[in-house]
Amino acid sequence: MTQQSIDRREYNITAYTENQVGLLNRIAIIFSRRKINIESLNTSPSEVEGIHRFNIVVVETEEVVRKIARQIEKQVEVLKVYFNPNEDVIWQEMALYKVPTDVIAERALVERLLREHGARAVVIRKDYTVFETTGHREETDKLLTVLQPYGLIEFVRSARIAIIKNSQGFHHQLREFERIEPSHEVSENDYLNSRDKVFTM
Amino acid sequence: MYLNSQPQPAPTSAETAVATAESITRTLSGAEATLHALLAEGVDTVFGYPGGAIIPIYDALYDFKEQLNHVLVRHEQGGIHAAQGYARSSGKVGVVFATSGPGATNLVTGLADALIDSTPLVCITGQVFAHLLGTDAFQETDIINITTPITKWNHQVTDASEIPEALAKAFYIARSGRPGPVLIDITKNAQMQKADFAPYQPCTHIRSYRPRPLVRSEYVAQAAALINQAKRPLVLWGQGVLLGQAEQEFKQFIEKSGIPAAWTILGAGALPTGHPLNVGMLGMHGNYGPNVLTNECDVLIAIGMRFDDRVTGRLDKYARQAQVIHLDIDPTEIDKNVKANVPVWGDCKETLPLLTELLEARTYPEWRQRFQDHDAEEIAAVIQDELFPTSDELTMGEVIQQLNELTQGEAIIVTDVGQHQMVACRYAKLNHTRSNITSGGLGTMGFALPAAIGAKYGAPERTVVAVIGDGGIQMTIQELGTIMQTGVNVKILLLNNQFLGMVRQWQELFHDRRYSFVDIASPDYVTVASGYSIAGLRVDSRPDLQAALREMLEHPGSFLLEVMVTRENNIFPMVPQGCGVGEIRLK
């Protein structure tokens, strides 16, 4: 194995952007032209009105992720980009499981398993029941394995969402950007400020 | 006669300001609003080609003939390359019109070229009616998604009221920070729709776009300290110096620091060719000294250049011994290819004076002597034979040398792509900035003829010589029609070696002389030019060369001079692909 492949690990890229048609494509191209697979991608409104937040998960080296983060931040409609390894973020994924209701009803063991995994019934119908659970990949995977013998009909997992542990929220920085505009446009220069902690808050 | 639209001088900013102030809120069509926006942005020349989806803008243009000079090209690719030439020679934003579908897709090569070479452009494309979007309507293409990776920004307008703001953003984005191409796609209904428009407001700020970085003085100080203790410093400069209009600041930096400076082909001309501290061209076909000594310098100062692979060769063999200082406006360039020990992020017009202020005046006589010694080696091994050959056949180098003698470095040289490009870049004498216009990053054959047309519109007072190979000219030869119709004065110096010469050179050196499809036949160019009412001449012997060049330059209008040059000449020095710059070959 090369050093590069050893150094690859999961990174969470967080991008704050304008809510603009076509921006998703502009960001996706940055990955695809380098032949980097996106493991997970979620977009949603952020804590700041009118600003969207992308959570993107890739498995890459820090050097590659840093370059990608900078390329994303360079896009006109992107305000700020951070990247963090898993230990620097709190992250969750949601999973939905559809199982035949008769199996659940008849076999108490399943009920207990669901409780053990913190699952919650979302829909209970005569023919099927849908459970949901949230957690890390291993946790939702474990429930999937457990349910498979009991006639699992369908399974789906959401993209990852992540909160950066060491962060005061983006609105402080945005307020700072806005305070100085428009006469003096300021680029917040994390990179030159602390080169070892590039793009962290 | 077709001499009806000679290049006009650009309106002054005062005239533009008056035009803006006079614009009061009124009802206009989207097409009229588009043209008012262009005038308010100081646009004097537009290159374009009409078609169904942009007819409303062309209809409005009928009433703007006195204010906006429209150059009808023969192909949209010619239009965008002309706009690039215009932007590169004038320093202003080049503007292109094209219709939807094939008109828009014909801009793709030029957009990619402009993005990689940081050329400010605003392309305005027509689009099908908004209600037809996504229906595979006639001449519909999704030009926004097609051009996303090759534009700095793009945007589709579906309502007339959006036009002024979209264009204001487009011009601001195209020309600020690291410049680049922007595309605005306007649906036909938006062009036709009437709306009330307030006076045009130029854009000066976008929340999510911060083109002017704050300069960190501590990094300038670190850079100065590194330079002041250097024994063998070397400056590499690129187009960032021109784009930042920092030629004077750069010259002061070089002259105070006494550091030898080498250039990338897009940086050529920022410091005159004859300046004593200008030590030549970098890269694959650059000069011997700056390439070899890149691997011997102790401090490497890169200014407005991006360490392209044609400049660096193999990265693991590139300047490993040097401490690297990188000045660039674009943070994505820092550490992208070569790790910087001191990054100075900022506009070099701002950072260079701060740096110069902190420098000690030095001269480095022994270090500069090393460059002179390598120059002597290169002259003996390559340059003497190229510029002053003893064989009967003409070389490309001697043609450029003769051109230098006649123009005295005052002309704008526009080159296509291939061997002639490398020869012209290596040997052309350039006294002024914005004198070397070439397709650097993308290497687009077919660039030079239309770019030269645009360059003349951008700098009407200067002589423009397009140096083109027999391959490149056949890619956009239809633009001779643009020259015919506009009467624009462009000198076409066609260096014909009857080969796709650069590919042939690679096939000779690296593929056992298997000349696979590089033997390209040519038409009788002088007759072709004559068909377009362009004067022409063909020479193939040394005694006729200088008189022919003089005739070309002195001719009152455009002129095509075809020079038959030796067929199998190679461009040396050369850093073979996969080698380090220190392994540059003289033969």
Side-chain angles (χ1 to χ4, degrees):
Chain A
M1 282 213 330
T2 62
Q3 186 59 40
Q4 254 220 328
S5 58
I6 297 165
D7 293 343
R8 291 171 80 231
R9 58 176 173 157
E10 273 191 351
Y11 278 94
N12 299 268
I13 298 170
T14 309
Y16 288 92
T17 75
E18 302 286 358
N19 185 14
Q20 182 72 28
V21 175
L23 187 58
L24 175 61
N25 188 26
R26 205 168 258 283
I27 290 175
I29 284 169
I30 290 168
F31 294 89
S32 60
R33 76 176 289 205
R34 291 166 180 77
K35 217 170 174 187
I36 293 170
N37 190 39
I38 292 176
E39 303 294 326
S40 166
L41 185 152
N42 180 76
T43 75
S44 67
S46 72
E47 70 273 20
V48 186
E49 197 182 336
I51 290 181
H52 270 228
R53 176 173 174 146
F54 282 62
N55 278 309
I56 304 167
V57 181
V58 291
V59 179
E60 265 305 337
T61 62
E62 184 182 341
E63 192 182 348
V64 169
V65 174
R66 180 185 293 121
K67 287 177 184 174
I68 290 170
R70 250 180 257 165
Q71 287 286 349
I72 298 172
E73 193 170 80
K74 182 179 164 178
Q75 302 307 315
V76 169
E77 279 135 351
V78 175
L79 287 105
K80 193 70 199 148
V81 177
Y82 305 95
F83 70 89
N84 300 93
N86 285 347
E87 57 266 30
D88 290 352
V89 297
I90 309 292
W91 59 272
Q92 296 278 276
E93 292 167 352
M94 177 194 259
L96 296 176
Y97 311 77
K98 185 162 117 183
V99 287
T101 303
D102 51 354
V103 178
I104 304 297
E106 285 169 17
R107 300 172 76 161
L109 178 66
V110 179
E111 224 178 292
R112 205 188 75 217
L113 282 173
L114 290 167
R115 270 204 303 279
E116 277 173 9
H117 288 88
R120 178 174 77 85
V122 182
V123 171
I124 304 170
R125 282 174 47 128
K126 206 172 173 185
D127 47 349
Y128 65 81
T129 297
V130 175
F131 295 99
E132 72 79 17
T133 189
T134 54
H136 285 197
R137 176 71 55 93
E138 313 85 71
E139 294 163 320
T140 52
D141 269 354
K142 208 176 283 175
L143 183 56
L144 174 69
T145 318
V146 167
L147 286 177
Q148 249 153 1
Y150 301 103
L152 182 77
I153 302 165
E154 215 178 312
F155 166 76
V156 64
R157 183 167 34 224
S158 75
R160 175 184 298 187
I161 53 171
I163 292 278
I164 302 167
K165 287 178 187 171
N166 184 21
S167 158
Q168 297 303 307
F170 180 65
H171 48 280
H172 291 294
Q173 286 199 317
L174 182 64
R175 207 178 300 138
E176 182 61 16
F177 291 159
E178 299 284 293
R179 188 179 63 78
I180 301 168
E181 77 174 90
S183 54
H184 303 287
E185 294 151 32
V186 173
S187 289
E188 199 259 358
N189 191 338
D190 279 351
Y191 173 62
L192 298 184
N193 256 345
S194 73
R195 300 197 65 205
D196 297 333
K197 300 177 198 158
V198 174
F199 295 109
T200 57
M201 286 174 96
Chain B
M1 290 293 288
Y2 294 100
L3 306 176
N4 58 356
S5 58
Q6 288 286 350
Q8 298 296 316
T12 62
S13 55
E15 286 166 345
T16 307
V18 169
T20 312
E22 282 174 356
S23 307
I24 49 166
T25 302
R26 54 185 159 158
T27 306
L28 299 170
S29 70
E32 289 165 329
T34 302
L35 300 183
H36 280 293
L38 297 188
L39 288 176
E41 289 289 350
V43 176
D44 54 83
T45 304
V46 176
F47 303 89
Y49 203 96
I54 200 168
I55 282 179
I57 286 177
Y58 273 86
D59 182 63
L61 195 57
Y62 194 79
D63 297 322
F64 280 73
K65 279 181 189 166
E66 300 302 314
Q67 297 137 286
L68 266 179
N69 183 26
H70 178 273
V71 178
L72 176 66
V73 292
R74 293 299 179 269
H75 187 286
E76 290 85 354
Q77 185 188 357
I80 192 164
H81 290 331
Q84 289 176 268
Y86 172 92
R88 297 269 289 270
S89 72
S90 70
K92 297 195 284 185
V93 178
V95 180
V96 193
F97 288 165
T99 192
S100 65
T105 56
N106 282 343
L107 298 178
V108 165
T109 303
L111 286 169
D113 196 297
L115 185 72
I116 202 164
D117 282 352
S118 308
T119 307
L121 294 184
V122 170
C123 300
I124 296 173
T125 50
Q127 182 55 280
V128 300
F129 285 89
H131 72 271
L132 294 174
L133 285 171
T135 65
D136 301 326
F138 177 68
Q139 290 196 330
E140 184 198 0
T141 56
D142 181 1
I143 199 63
I144 293 295
N145 276 313
I146 288 172
T147 60
T148 293
I150 49 170
T151 49
K152 186 174 173 186
W153 184 67
N154 62 10
H155 183 72
Q156 187 174 64
V157 173
T158 52
D159 189 286
S161 63
E162 301 169 37
I163 286 174
E165 194 189 335
L167 284 171
K169 276 180 79 171
F171 276 91
Y172 176 57
I173 292 168
R175 64 162 76 98
S176 58
R178 179 177 179 168
V182 170
L183 183 137
I184 302 292
D185 193 38
I186 309 178
T187 57
K188 195 166 178 179
N189 60 294
Q191 296 171 47
M192 295 163 71
Q193 187 187 351
K194 297 268 186 186
D196 287 334
F197 290 97
Y200 182 80
Q201 293 291 324
C203 178
T204 56
H205 180 83
I206 298 170
R207 180 172 68 170
S208 53
Y209 172 62
R210 294 177 296 279
R212 285 181 65 83
L214 268 188
V215 175
R216 303 281 176 178
S217 54
E218 62 270 33
Y219 287 95
V220 175
Q222 282 182 24
L226 205 51
I227 295 171
N228 283 335
Q229 55 82 33
K231 302 269 186 297
R232 300 181 308 281
L234 173 61
V235 163
L236 314 180
W237 92 82
Q239 196 193 195
V241 175
L242 284 79
L243 293 171
Q245 298 178 359
E247 292 89 344
Q248 275 310 314
E249 290 80 358
F250 177 65
K251 192 163 177 251
Q252 284 161 5
F253 164 76
I254 289 295
E255 289 178 349
K256 183 175 181 190
S257 69
I259 303 174
W263 40 276
T264 72
I265 63 170
L266 262 70
L271 193 66
T273 318
H275 192 284
L277 286 163
N278 182 337
V279 293
M281 175 171 149
L282 292 163
M284 184 174 271
H285 294 291
N287 291 109
Y288 191 58
N291 272 308
V292 168
L293 296 176
T294 295
N295 277 358
E296 294 187 31
C297 67
D298 57 355
V299 176
L300 192 67
I301 306 130
I303 304 173
M305 57 86 74
R306 60 189 179 86
F307 291 110
D308 176 66
D309 58 271
R310 281 294 189 270
V311 163
T312 63
R314 259 178 74 157
L315 280 172
D316 60 353
K317 294 182 176 179
Y318 185 78
R320 307 300 287 178
Q321 80 296 341
Q323 298 273 305
V324 177
I325 300 167
H326 195 171
L327 287 76
D328 207 293
I329 197 166
D330 182 349
T332 65
E333 291 302 341
I334 291 173
D335 286 354
K336 186 182 83 176
N337 296 332
V338 172
K339 202 92 181 152
N341 299 88
V342 182
V344 183
W345 184 24
D347 186 338
C348 58
K349 195 171 180 70
E350 204 179 335
T351 54
L352 278 172
L354 296 173
L355 191 53
T356 306
E357 178 74 28
L358 302 176
L359 293 185
E360 295 160 8
R362 302 275 288 275
T363 53
Y364 308 101
E366 285 172 27
W367 175 232
R368 284 175 60 192
Q369 186 60 43
R370 299 281 309 278
F371 288 89
Q372 286 160 19
D373 294 345
H374 283 306
D375 277 352
E377 260 184 279
E378 187 178 343
I379 288 167
V382 180
I383 297 174
Q384 181 66 27
D385 278 351
E386 183 64 40
L387 302 191
F388 308 100
T390 49
S391 68
D392 289 342
E393 291 182 311
L394 291 166
T395 66
M396 291 186 184
E398 74 177 309
V399 181
I400 301 299
Q401 169 68 12
Q402 295 276 334
L403 182 70
N404 285 338
E405 284 184 20
L406 295 171
T407 62
Q408 289 297 308
E410 295 296 308
I412 292 177
I413 307 292
V414 185
T415 53
D416 214 80
V417 170
Q419 286 186 317
H420 73 276
Q421 176 190 31
M422 292 298 109
V423 171
C425 290
R426 282 176 55 81
Y427 299 115
K429 190 174 169 189
L430 308 171
N431 291 347
H432 307 287
T433 188
R434 299 192 175 279
S435 295
N436 182 51
I437 298 175
T438 193
S439 168
L442 202 67
T444 303
M445 286 179 70
F447 174 84
L449 183 59
I453 294 170
K456 183 67 181 176
Y457 278 96
E461 74 291 352
R462 297 190 65 188
T463 299
V464 174
V465 182
V467 183
I468 317 184
D470 47 321
I473 196 164
Q474 293 189 67
M475 283 203 173
T476 48
I477 198 165
Q478 72 283 350
E479 299 308 332
L480 292 174
T482 307
I483 293 174
M484 172 185 72
Q485 184 157 3
T486 59
V488 65
N489 185 352
V490 171
K491 311 302 181 188
I492 304 159
L493 179 55
L494 174 57
L495 301 180
N496 188 345
N497 60 2
Q498 304 165 70
F499 267 127
L500 300 177
M502 191 57 95
V503 184
R504 188 211 56 74
Q505 176 170 341
W506 281 53
Q507 289 174 343
E508 177 190 332
L509 298 177
F510 312 118
H511 297 273
D512 301 327
R513 287 182 173 263
R514 287 157 55 87
Y515 290 171
S516 184
F517 299 98
V518 286
D519 186 352
I520 185 169
S522 282
D524 178 339
Y525 292 112
V526 176
T527 302
V528 171
S530 161
Y532 283 104
S533 303
I534 297 168
L537 197 62
R538 181 181 203 241
V539 292
D540 57 8
S541 71
R542 192 158 293 125
D544 299 332
L545 178 62
Q546 195 172 65
L549 284 166
R550 185 172 285 118
E551 185 176 344
M552 174 184 83
L553 292 169
E554 289 175 357
H555 186 81
S558 281
F559 194 97
L560 184 146
L561 175 62
E562 180 185 14
V563 183
M564 303 306 294
V565 294
T566 183
R567 293 201 77 197
E568 295 189 59
N569 200 13
N570 288 337
I571 312 301
F572 282 108
M574 180 178 192
V575 181
Q577 203 160 42
C579 292
V581 287
E583 297 166 281
I584 187 166
R585 289 169 53 176
L586 278 169
K587 285 184 190 296

